Amino acid sequence: MASSSKTEQKKMLILKSSEEEEFEIEESIAVQSGTIKNMVEDDFTLIPLPNVDTETLIKIIKYMKKHGEKTKSNEKDIEEFDKEFVKKSFTELKELVLAANYLHITSLIDLLCQAFADRIKNKSVKAIREIFGIPNDFTPEEEAEVYEQHKWAHEEGKEHIDHSAY
Amino acid sequence: MLRGSKGANADREYTEDRISVLPINVLDYVVELLPIEDAARTSILSKKWRYIWAMSPNLVLDNLFCNKLAKESCSFFYNTVDNILLQHIGDIVKFDLDVSGLGLPWYTDIDRWMHYVTRHGVKKLNLNVPKNSTYKVPSYIFNCSTLTDLTLSNCVFKSPTSFLGFQNLITLCLKSMTFVPTAEFCVIKVPLLVDLILDCCQGTRYLNIVSPQLESLVVFRSDCLELNCFRNCKKLKRIIFSGTNKVVDVYPKYLESSTLEKFLFSLPTLAILHLESHFLKLLAADNISKELPFALDCLWHLSLHVDFGKLDQTSYALQLIKISPNLTQLRIWVFNTSDNAEAVSEYLDSPACLEQPLNKLRHVTLHLFKGSKTELALVKKLVAHTPSLVRMSIKPNKVMDSWKERNIAIELMRFSRASPRAELLYLPNVV
């Protein structure tokens, strides 16, 4: 690592994924993560992240870098980036939100939760169970009871009893 | 259920519950982001999801939702809202109810719901009832000490004599409300209030709002406001007074020009001032070319509606600009009559109009630009005296013929600029 001869030295941190891979990142950008910010205040420069795998960490760093350069003029640009960022498979989003939650990156948690909400909106119960692989562990009586309680929320004619679960 | 095939679309696997492994705080938040019907439906997904929505702190029953339920029948609507509240677990932090689309009598039901939410710790309440209703704000709301954000629309506000105010209220937004005083005034004690919006309200002259921490005061199209009650708001940073678009002589009956002026200039921290329609006319009325003996040291944003056919308004506008040494943003809406255009142009061209440079002014926007002589004279004056100008945006109110636009462009190009890097933008299609 060649040392810079610039008078303005940007403080760098090293983030280490669960697979022991290291990534250099500017401190000013990394502190968008509340967790990292706390560690920096305790004088850490090498931040081990045993809960975050390499692939996910790369995406998170990409997000933080983009949001780190947020100014008034590139708001549209960042909106576009965010829109593209959530166009990922469910598993990837899941890994990302677990990591964002652990790292306390509020804006990213907001973005990802909104992405999940958007995938649930307007879908029937059956479709949601299918997409997210949620097994129906209610007995038919219990399920009927829950259905009665929220009948108004279930559109007429939409199937709520998932017979294919048995 | 076990379909082991790993097809091209990984989302289609049934084998594992992939969303429920997310931590409960994430699931809570996802459900909070869903519209009410989708959120309620999640209760049936599985045992883990059963009570997530029931415990969600926010209940938003918007216009679309309420209308949809009421279409079935009125009793269906009431029963459903009762049901939603009864099955809720824990405190309700945010409750939005918009019944403005419903027509039938429902006062007792709304009272009952207000009773319920105020007893369950509601902090952010937004109640919207139909226009012209005579629904009186119930005592439950007046007695609710947990409120931090309150928005009420179309109700009658008659506070009980024992009303102690809202001790924790930070934001208050009252739209199309009618204020009925019990004594001489309608006193509202809001010691922590920071933001106040009065939109289209009646009876605002009876209001006495005690808000020493107030930072932002926005008044839209409400009849006269008793400004004296705001004299002790030493932290007031932002004032937006907007009337109707027509210059109607409604205000002067209740609001004296000197009162308004005294009020504006008594605010030590005023940073943003936005005066629409007839407010400038009101201020300028008593004030022909008199120098204003005050300074607005903290003012960085000024928005004005100016009639450039009137010398008094134009000169008052310039005065306001001159007494604001830290002004960085200026927006002017051009209202133009041809009354006295010659006199105004003369005034604007005279050196006395603006002698000192406006050192901090960086952004200027002219809306509803019509290309008249007076407007061009103003632009010329401003551009010549703003050494820090970054951008002057000129937005015409409608499409002009290309000949006229060309002439305007030629004029604009000729103006000498104090700031060499200033952009002069003519934006015909931008609102």
Side-chain angles (χ1 to χ4, degrees):
Chain A
M1 199 163 56
S3 60
S4 174
S5 58
K6 283 198 209 135
T7 46
E8 193 195 297
Q9 282 274 18
K10 284 208 175 129
K11 180 145 183 244
M12 304 299 280
L13 298 176
I14 299 180
L15 304 182
K16 194 155 89 165
S17 75
S18 58
E19 291 142 318
E20 309 277 309
E21 281 192 58
E22 296 184 356
F23 299 90
E24 213 184 15
I25 183 174
E26 280 172 36
E27 180 188 304
S28 56
I29 295 194
V31 293
Q32 287 176 76
S33 151
T35 310
I36 295 182
K37 188 165 184 221
N38 286 338
M39 292 181 90
V40 164
E41 278 163 11
D42 288 339
D43 287 332
F44 279 81
T45 42
L46 170 63
I47 317 261
L49 300 170
N51 294 0
V52 187
D53 66 38
T54 303
E55 205 182 301
T56 309
L57 185 55
I58 291 177
K59 293 183 194 127
I60 297 221
I61 290 177
K62 193 171 172 199
Y63 176 89
M64 287 202 287
K65 279 198 174 145
K66 190 72 184 183
H67 279 251
E69 45 184 73
K70 192 173 193 165
T71 64
K72 226 178 159 205
S73 51
N74 64 1
E75 262 172 39
K76 265 262 146 88
D77 194 31
I78 290 193
E79 257 177 59
E80 278 304 314
F81 172 85
D82 282 352
K83 243 197 246 167
E84 287 303 311
F85 191 80
V86 293
K87 285 186 187 165
K88 294 181 161 58
S89 79
F90 181 83
T91 323
E92 287 176 276
L93 289 183
K94 183 194 76 175
E95 292 301 325
L96 275 166
V97 83
L98 285 171
N101 200 32
Y102 168 71
L103 289 169
H104 282 105
I105 308 174
T106 351
S107 67
L108 182 54
I109 298 172
D110 288 350
L111 179 65
L112 293 166
C113 285
Q114 186 63 59
F116 285 124
D118 291 340
R119 287 181 194 207
I120 292 181
K121 252 188 250 190
N122 290 325
K123 301 241 172 34
S124 70
V125 173
K126 186 157 184 243
I128 299 173
R129 287 212 188 104
E130 214 177 277
I131 296 174
F132 296 113
I134 303 174
N136 181 1
D137 52 1
F138 285 123
T139 66
E141 294 85 24
E142 283 170 339
E143 191 169 348
E145 197 184 300
V146 181
Y147 179 77
E148 266 312 304
Q149 224 183 9
H150 305 121
K151 206 149 72 165
W152 51 270
H154 297 270
E155 263 176 74
E156 281 186 43
K158 280 265 167 78
E159 208 179 282
H160 63 286
I161 309 280
D162 195 335
H163 294 294
S164 64
Y166 295 101
Chain B
M1 189 168 125
L2 289 172
R3 273 201 357 208
S5 62
K6 295 212 189 268
N9 188 349
D11 283 341
R12 293 252 152 232
E13 284 184 359
Y14 282 85
T15 44
E16 38 154 329
D17 178 356
R18 283 163 293 133
I19 193 171
S20 304
V21 299
L22 294 174
I24 202 81
N25 68 315
V26 171
L27 294 181
D28 283 343
Y29 191 33
V30 171
V31 172
E32 260 177 65
L33 292 171
L34 290 170
I36 193 167
E37 282 164 295
D38 295 279
R41 269 210 299 279
T42 61
S43 314
I44 210 172
L45 287 172
S46 77
K47 284 189 175 160
K48 184 168 182 180
W49 287 80
R50 175 79 174 83
Y51 294 108
I52 294 185
W53 177 62
M55 295 197 279
S56 178
N58 303 337
L59 284 174
V60 177
L61 284 65
D62 65 14
N63 203 353
L64 228 62
F65 177 67
C66 292
N67 290 352
K68 182 171 166 193
L69 292 179
K71 241 204 213 140
E72 297 267 338
S73 76
C74 262
S75 54
F76 183 67
F77 170 66
Y78 304 142
N79 290 335
T80 307
V81 180
D82 278 344
N83 173 298
I84 291 174
L85 288 176
L86 275 177
Q87 61 84 50
H88 190 268
I89 301 172
D91 272 358
I92 296 173
V93 172
K94 178 170 139 122
F95 187 70
D96 278 14
L97 179 64
D98 187 343
V99 290
S100 57
L102 273 60
L104 296 136
W106 27 253
Y107 294 1
T108 44
D109 298 285
I110 306 237
D111 280 355
R112 185 173 68 242
W113 297 329
M114 290 301 110
H115 190 189
Y116 187 92
V117 301
T118 52
R119 269 190 332 180
H120 283 78
V122 70
K123 294 203 177 123
K124 301 184 187 191
L125 179 61
N126 185 337
L127 177 62
N128 194 344
V129 300
K131 268 189 166 20
N132 301 321
S133 80
T134 48
Y135 179 70
K136 284 217 273 267
V137 177
S139 59
Y140 311 120
I141 294 185
F142 288 118
N143 294 332
C144 181
S145 57
T146 47
L147 286 171
T148 58
D149 283 57
L150 177 62
T151 303
L152 296 171
S153 307
N154 299 309
C155 313
V156 172
F157 192 105
K158 186 173 178 185
S159 50
T161 37
S162 58
F163 182 41
L164 294 170
F166 295 112
Q167 297 306 310
N168 292 303
L169 202 62
I170 297 177
T171 304
L172 179 59
C173 178
L174 299 166
K175 300 186 191 173
S176 301
M177 301 283 289
T178 305
F179 294 99
V180 178
T182 32
E184 196 193 334
F185 283 107
C186 220
V187 181
I188 307 179
K189 291 203 196 104
V190 275
L192 297 181
L193 194 72
V194 167
D195 248 293
L196 175 63
I197 298 176
L198 296 168
D199 186 351
C200 279
C201 296
Q202 299 284 324
T204 41
R205 64 178 143 296
Y206 301 119
L207 276 183
N208 181 356
I209 300 183
V210 184
S211 51
Q213 304 291 323
L214 196 67
E215 289 180 22
S216 167
L217 174 61
V218 178
V219 182
F220 288 124
R221 295 166 290 176
S222 300
D223 68 9
C224 177
L225 188 60
E226 186 54 65
L227 287 176
N228 278 325
C229 67
F230 298 110
R231 258 184 318 154
N232 291 319
C233 299
K234 293 306 171 193
K235 293 193 179 173
L236 203 45
K237 288 203 195 72
R238 185 169 90 132
I239 290 191
I240 298 182
F241 285 164
S242 161
T244 56
N245 285 326
K246 291 198 286 260
V247 180
V248 182
D249 285 343
V250 171
Y251 267 71
K253 254 202 289 173
Y254 299 105
L255 188 57
E256 300 290 318
S257 146
S258 51
T259 315
L260 179 57
E261 196 178 81
K262 251 203 293 210
F263 172 66
L264 288 176
F265 298 129
S266 71
L267 304 170
T269 48
L270 191 59
I272 297 173
L273 179 60
H274 181 116
L275 295 175
E276 283 190 18
S277 69
H278 52 270
F279 286 97
L280 193 61
K281 177 181 181 195
L282 184 63
L283 284 169
D286 290 345
N287 214 319
I288 307 273
S289 302
K290 182 173 83 179
E291 290 271 322
L292 293 173
F294 337 85
L296 292 170
D297 290 318
C298 293
L299 197 71
W300 64 267
H301 176 109
L302 179 63
S303 283
L304 294 172
H305 284 200
V306 185
D307 182 344
F308 281 100
K310 304 268 195 289
L311 182 59
D312 58 356
Q313 280 191 39
T314 311
S315 110
Y316 200 93
L318 262 307
Q319 298 273 28
L320 279 176
I321 296 171
K322 284 194 278 193
I323 62 170
S324 313
N326 289 306
L327 195 67
T328 51
Q329 271 184 28
L330 175 65
R331 289 168 70 178
I332 296 187
W333 277 261
V334 177
F335 290 92
N336 225 323
T337 60
S338 55
D339 280 15
N340 217 347
E342 273 310 310
V344 179
S345 296
E346 250 179 63
Y347 166 71
L348 285 170
D349 285 333
S350 71
C353 156
L354 185 57
E355 285 159 322
Q356 304 298 325
L358 303 168
N359 286 317
K360 300 257 174 83
L361 196 54
R362 292 161 56 82
H363 291 100
V364 180
T365 311
L366 238 56
H367 296 267
L368 307 179
F369 184 75
K370 294 157 183 70
S372 71
K373 204 162 160 233
T374 46
E375 295 162 74
L376 287 168
L378 176 71
V379 174
K380 182 174 180 185
K381 201 65 159 194
L382 286 176
V383 167
H385 287 85
T386 47
S388 307
L389 190 68
V390 169
R391 183 179 300 149
M392 158 106 50
S393 307
I394 296 177
K395 298 182 179 176
N397 66 327
K398 55 178 184 225
V399 179
M400 293 191 232
D401 67 59
S402 43
W403 184 256
K404 185 165 185 195
E405 279 196 347
R406 196 194 75 136
N407 287 342
I408 292 174
I410 293 175
E411 271 292 309
L412 292 174
M413 275 195 282
R414 281 173 39 202
F415 297 159
S416 65
R417 304 178 193 188
S419 164
R421 62 192 183 120
E423 283 183 316
L424 198 51
L425 294 175
Y426 186 78
L427 302 160
N429 295 319
V430 179
V431 167

